[in-house]
Amino acid sequence: MAGSTRDAIVDAATALLDEGGPAAVTLREVGRRAGVSHNAPYKHFADKETLLAAVAARELHAYAALLTTDSEGGIAAALTAYLNQALSHPARFRLVFGPWTSDDARLGDAADTARDALLDAVTASQRTGELPAGDPIALAELLRATSHGAIELALGGHLAKNGSTTTPADLVSRLLALLAP
Amino acid sequence: MAGSTRDAIVDAATALLDEGGPAAVTLREVGRRAGVSHNAPYKHFADKETLLAAVAARELHAYAALLTTDSEGGIAAALTAYLNQALSHPARFRLVFGPWTSDDARLGDAADTARDALLDAVTASQRTGELPAGDPIALAELLRATSHGAIELALGGHLAKNGSTTTPADLVSRLLALLAP
DNA sequence: ACCTGAACACCGTTCAAGT
DNA sequence: ACCTGAACACCGTTCAAGT
C-alpha cells in the first residue's frame, strides 16, 4: 500500500479542518487519527504548511472537476456547482484562497487547472450565446471575482442582513443577467 | 492617560499584523512593543481573539470613513478608495472579513457602519444617474461582492496570471459599466 | 484598577534511535 | 524507506501577588 499512510494523513487533516477550522488541525491529532505518531507526517511533508497545501491542492482539483462536469449545463450550472462546493466546505475554501507564504508547485498547478476549467466553461457559453463575445479571460475573472466575493460575504454573515435575503447564487445570477447579450 | 495602554496594545497588534500576518501577532511581542508585560493585554481584552476584534473594528471604521468621504466623487471614487485601502493593508482585510468564532458586539456595529456607508454611496449615485434605479441594498451587495472577490484574487496572486494584467479596479470598472443606465 | 513573574498545558519541529 | 519517543523552544492562558 504505497502512499496509504500519506493518504490517511491528508484525510485526517481535511476532516479536522472541516470540523474545527485551521486551529483544529494539529499534527498531534492528525497523527492520532491516521494511526501514527505525532511526527510521522514529517516523513511525508516538510512541515505543517506543506501538508495543508496538499489538502488545498486536492480541493482545487475537486473544483476543477465540478467545473468540467457541469459546464455542459452552461456557465450558470458550472458556477452553481462551484458555489455549492464552497459553501458546504467553507474552511477548505478559505484555506485554498487564503494567504500562502510558500508557493508549493503542486498547489500552483492545481490552481491553474481550476482556472482553466472555468475558462473552458466560459468559452463554451460564449459559443452557445449565454455569454457575450470578447476576451474570455477577462470574463472568467469577473465571474470568479463576484462568485468569490459572494461566498466570502455569505460565510462571514455579511450577506442577508437587515431584512435582505440575498444568496451568493442571487448575486451571480444578477451578474449573468447583466452580461447576457 | 486613560486608555493609553490599551491604545498602545492595539497599535502594536496592528503593526505586527501588517508586518507578518496573524501568526506574528503574539501577545508576548505585543506586550514588548507596548512596553508592558506579556499578559498585561488580559487586563484590557478577554483573550487574543478579542484583541484582534478591536483591530478589525478599527479597520472597519476606516473603511466607513473612506466610503463616506469619497462618496462625493460618486460610487466609482468610493470603491476605488475601498480597493486601495484593502490592497495596501492585506492582512487587515483578511482579518476583518475572515472567520470570526465569537461575535463581538463592537465588531458587528463597525461592520454595520461600513455597510451603511456603502449603501449611502449607492443611493447617492442612483440620484446622479451613475447607477440604475432599483433596490439599493441588492446593488450594494453586488458591488461589494465583486470588489471583495477581486481583492481576494489579487492578494492570492490568482489575478494577472498567464499574460492577463487585470487589476481589481478593472473588474469593478467593468461591473459599473455593465450597470450604467 | 492595573500590572508583574512564575507556572501550566499545548503545539511545531528536531533528533537520536529503531525496523 | 518509514516510524517512534524524548526533548526543545514558543505560545495562550491562568494565578498569586504586588502598587
Side-chain angles (χ1 to χ4, degrees):
Chain A
M1 292 289 174
S4 138
T5 300
R6 188 194 142 100
D7 286 345
I9 289 169
V10 176
D11 288 345
T14 304
L16 286 167
L17 181 69
D18 288 342
E19 291 168 26
V25 185
T26 69
L27 291 184
R28 282 166 163 84
E29 185 61 24
V30 165
R32 204 169 296 132
R33 294 213 185 182
V36 291
S37 75
H38 74 283
N39 53 11
Y42 285 96
K43 310 304 163 184
H44 299 271
F45 303 96
D47 51 23
K48 182 179 177 178
E49 190 179 34
T50 308
L51 167 58
L52 289 175
V55 174
R58 188 196 262 182
E59 185 70 2
L60 273 167
H61 283 301
Y63 283 125
L66 277 175
L67 288 170
T68 304
T69 303
D70 289 335
S71 67
E72 293 165 16
I75 192 69
L79 289 177
T80 298
Y82 196 84
L83 295 181
N84 286 341
Q85 176 71 11
L87 292 172
S88 46
H89 300 287
R92 298 186 202 174
F93 178 81
R94 283 185 154 132
L95 173 72
V96 167
F97 297 103
W100 285 102
T101 60
S102 85
D103 23 22
D104 189 292
R106 287 174 213 279
L107 187 57
D109 290 348
D112 289 346
T113 304
R115 189 176 40 74
D116 290 347
L118 178 60
L119 191 57
D120 287 346
V122 166
T123 55
S125 291
Q126 284 181 308
R127 277 195 296 274
T128 65
E130 190 182 1
L131 285 175
D135 180 14
I137 293 181
L139 218 41
E141 287 172 333
L142 179 60
L143 288 165
R144 199 140 91 116
T146 302
S147 301
H148 279 223
I151 291 163
E152 183 195 285
L153 290 175
L155 294 182
H158 297 102
L159 226 53
K161 244 183 163 182
N162 274 40
S164 161
T165 58
T166 310
T167 64
D170 291 336
L171 294 178
V172 172
S173 285
R174 174 146 191 192
L175 177 60
L176 286 175
L178 286 171
L179 285 168
Chain B
M1 294 286 175
S4 137
T5 300
R6 188 194 142 101
D7 286 344
I9 288 169
V10 177
D11 287 346
T14 305
L16 287 167
L17 181 69
D18 288 341
E19 291 168 25
V25 186
T26 69
L27 291 184
R28 282 166 164 84
E29 186 60 25
V30 165
R32 204 169 297 133
R33 294 213 184 182
V36 292
S37 75
H38 73 281
N39 53 10
Y42 285 95
K43 310 304 162 183
H44 300 270
F45 303 95
D47 51 23
K48 182 178 176 177
E49 190 178 36
T50 309
L51 167 57
L52 288 175
V55 174
R58 188 196 265 183
E59 186 70 1
L60 274 167
H61 283 301
Y63 282 124
L66 277 175
L67 287 170
T68 304
T69 303
D70 289 334
S71 66
E72 293 165 16
I75 191 69
L79 290 177
T80 297
Y82 196 85
L83 295 182
N84 286 341
Q85 176 71 12
L87 293 172
S88 44
H89 301 287
R92 296 187 203 172
F93 178 81
R94 283 184 155 134
L95 173 71
V96 167
F97 296 103
W100 285 102
T101 60
S102 84
D103 23 23
D104 189 293
R106 287 173 213 279
L107 187 57
D109 290 348
D112 289 346
T113 304
R115 189 176 40 74
D116 290 347
L118 178 61
L119 191 58
D120 287 346
V122 166
T123 54
S125 291
Q126 284 181 309
R127 279 194 295 275
T128 65
E130 191 183 359
L131 285 175
D135 180 13
I137 293 183
L139 218 41
E141 287 172 333
L142 179 60
L143 288 166
R144 199 140 93 115
T146 302
S147 300
H148 279 223
I151 290 162
E152 183 195 287
L153 290 176
L155 293 182
H158 297 100
L159 226 53
K161 244 182 164 183
N162 275 38
S164 162
T165 57
T166 310
T167 65
D170 292 335
L171 293 177
V172 172
S173 285
R174 175 147 191 190
L175 177 60
L176 287 175
L178 286 170
L179 285 168

